[in-house]
Amino acid sequence: MNMKIEKKCIMLALMVSALFIWGTAAFASEGGGHGAASTGKAMTKKEAIKAAVEGNSQFTSHHDLNYFEPYQSGQSPNLTVISCADSRVHTPLFGMDPHNNIFIIRNVGNQIRNSEGSVDYGVRHLPTKILLVMGHAGCGAVKAAMGDYSSETTGIKAELDTLIPVLAFDKGEGSFTERWNKNVERNVDYQVAYALQIYGDKIDHDEMAVVGAVYDFKDNYGKGRGTLVITNINGQSDPNKIMNDPLLKELSKSEIVKHVGSIAPAL
Ligand SMILES: [Zn+2]
C-alpha cells in the first residue's frame, strides 16, 4: 500500500476506533442557553469564570512539564477539523487527546468559506492529511438559515447567508425536522464539495483526503447518541461506496457499519 494512503488509513482508523469506545458520551445539555456541561445547571457570570479558571488549574495539575515538552517549538496535528461552534460539540468526542493532534476551526454551521484562511493553514501549511468537515445533529445555524433571520445582527446574517446555497437542495419534502436533519448532512456535502474545489490538487496527488461527517448526539441516524457518522469521503456520499473506500481499510467491518451512513440523498 502507498505509504501516504497507509498513514491516512491508520489515522482515520485510530480516530474512529477511539470514537467507537467513546462514542456514546454526551457532554452537554439539550436545552442550550447557559447550562453547565452535562448537568444543565445554570451558572452566574462569577461562577462561570471561576469554573473556567479552576478547571484550568485541574488541567495543569494533571499534566506535568513532560506533557507540554513535545510541542514547545511547533505543532504537528494529524487532523484539520472544521466544526460548528455549538457547545454540544467538542473534541472529547474523538476520544483522543486533542493537544497537538487536532487543528480545529469552528464557526456557526461548520463553513469553510467563513474561515478559509484558517482551514488553508491546517491543510497547506501544517499540513494535515485529513480535513474533516463535521456537522452535527440539531445545528441551530442550519435551522436558522431555513427560516427568517432578517432581524439578526449583521454579523450573524453574513454567516447564515453562506448557508443559503445548501437549501437549494431542499425540495421541501417531509416535516421541518426531517428537512432540518437532512440539511445538516447536505451542508456537510456542500462544504466537502467546496473543499474539493480548493484542495483538489492535493487530493489528486493523494496528499490528503476530505472526510465529511455528522456528530449525531440525537441519534438521528439510529447508530446511538454521540456517534460520528461518516457521510462523505472526497465527494462520494453513497454509504455503500464509502464503506469500500480504501481510506477505511484499517477499520473493522462492524466499525464501518456503525460509522458510515446517510439520511439525505446526494447533492
Ligand atoms: Zn451547529
Side-chain angles (χ1 to χ4, degrees), residues 229-242:
V229 182
I230 295 173
T231 58
N232 195 315
I233 294 180
N234 290 336
Q236 178 56 259
S237 56
D238 178 340
N240 293 321
K241 291 181 177 169
I242 292 174

Side-chain angles (χ1 to χ4, degrees), residues 59-253:
F59 169 75
T60 53
S61 69
H62 286 94
H63 296 81
D64 62 21
L65 293 178
N66 291 330
Y67 176 82
F68 300 97
E69 194 56 37
Y71 51 90
Q72 287 298 299
S73 59
Q75 59 176 321
S76 54
N78 293 304
L79 299 171
T80 294
V81 178
I82 174 83
S83 164
C84 186
D86 193 300
S87 66
R88 296 166 294 184
V89 182
H90 276 287
T91 48
L93 75 91
F94 294 107
M96 59 168 77
D97 186 346
H99 298 97
N100 201 31
N101 195 20
I102 302 176
F103 185 77
I104 190 162
I105 302 107
R106 308 187 62 158
N107 58 37
V108 295
N110 42 273
Q111 302 176 73
I112 294 175
R113 291 175 72 177
N114 291 348
S115 302
E116 191 166 325
S118 299
V119 181
D120 273 350
Y121 189 82
V123 168
R124 295 196 181 279
H125 287 291
L126 291 175
T128 60
K129 297 183 181 69
I130 297 285
L131 168 61
L132 177 63
V133 175
M134 187 169 69
H136 68 94
C139 184
V142 171
K143 183 181 183 183
M146 292 170 68
D148 177 10
Y149 57 88
S150 58
S151 62
E152 292 290 356
T153 67
T154 302
I156 292 174
K157 281 191 286 191
E159 294 198 29
L160 293 179
D161 285 346
T162 43
L163 285 171
I164 295 304
V166 174
L167 304 181
F169 299 95
D170 177 0
K171 304 306 178 193
E173 295 165 355
S175 69
F176 182 87
T177 301
E178 287 169 340
R179 290 172 50 221
W180 180 16
N181 294 340
K182 289 180 179 180
N183 285 335
V184 164
E185 186 177 311
R186 289 182 179 117
N187 180 37
V188 169
D189 286 340
Y190 180 78
Q191 303 302 327
V192 171
Y194 186 71
L196 293 176
Q197 283 181 37
I198 57 177
Y199 306 126
D201 56 333
K202 289 176 70 66
I203 294 164
D204 289 346
H205 290 98
D206 197 32
E207 294 170 4
M208 66 171 287
V210 182
V211 177
V214 174
Y215 171 56
D216 183 16
F217 65 84
K218 284 176 173 281
D219 200 19
N220 291 337
Y221 288 77
K223 294 171 178 292
R225 285 187 180 180
T227 301
L228 185 75
V229 182
I230 295 173
T231 58
N232 195 315
I233 294 180
N234 290 336
Q236 178 56 259
S237 56
D238 178 340
N240 293 321
K241 291 181 177 169
I242 292 174
M243 285 183 184
N244 291 312
D245 194 295
L247 194 63
L248 305 183
K249 200 172 167 46
E250 298 293 323
L251 299 179
S252 70
K253 193 168 178 79

